[in-house]
Amino acid sequence: MLIDSLGTPLIETLSENPEIVKMNRAEFTETFGRDAGRLKDWVEPVHQVMAEYKLNTFVLTGGKEGILAATPQGDFLAGCQVDQEVNAAGAGDAVSAAVVY
């Protein structure tokens, strides 16, 4: 099960032990009250939340900086090439679909 949500609805589902939690940096800050700089600096706050809620895998999207995936096998940063940003609508849903696939 992948949960892509924020705030109270997300917090209330964490007791169900989702396999993957996915959100963007702004949602993470709003939900957990933690912030960091560049995407690579988010590893520690993500691990803190994972430990607190006993989460297995956490995917954090960082827009133009890429994606951070914290998994039992390790932490992975994937960059992306942006030729021309047009519209970010649906980008998070596309990431969720790709992660589940």
Side-chain angles (χ1 to χ4, degrees):
M1 163 179 30
L2 179 141
I3 301 295
D4 182 358
S5 186
L6 70 144
T8 302
L10 172 69
I11 298 297
E12 290 177 355
T13 63
L14 294 181
S15 63
E16 298 299 318
N17 299 316
E19 293 174 55
I20 304 167
V21 174
K22 182 250 164 213
M23 59 189 352
N24 66 41
R25 292 184 291 191
E27 294 166 340
F28 187 95
T29 298
E30 180 180 331
T31 302
F32 300 111
R34 295 175 173 94
D35 201 354
R38 299 189 51 81
L39 190 58
K40 64 180 179 161
D41 300 326
W42 285 85
V43 173
E44 181 66 27
V46 165
H47 277 276
Q48 291 170 355
V49 166
M50 289 174 72
E52 182 177 341
Y53 292 96
K54 298 176 179 65
L55 301 174
N56 184 50
T57 299
F58 204 106
V59 176
L60 188 71
T61 59
K64 294 177 185 177
E65 287 188 69
I67 298 172
L68 164 65
T71 75
Q73 292 76 29
D75 301 322
F76 303 91
L77 287 168
C80 63
Q81 179 178 339
V82 178
D83 292 324
Q84 180 182 3
E85 184 177 333
V86 177
N87 187 329
D93 294 333
V95 168
S96 293
V99 167
V100 169
Y101 179 74

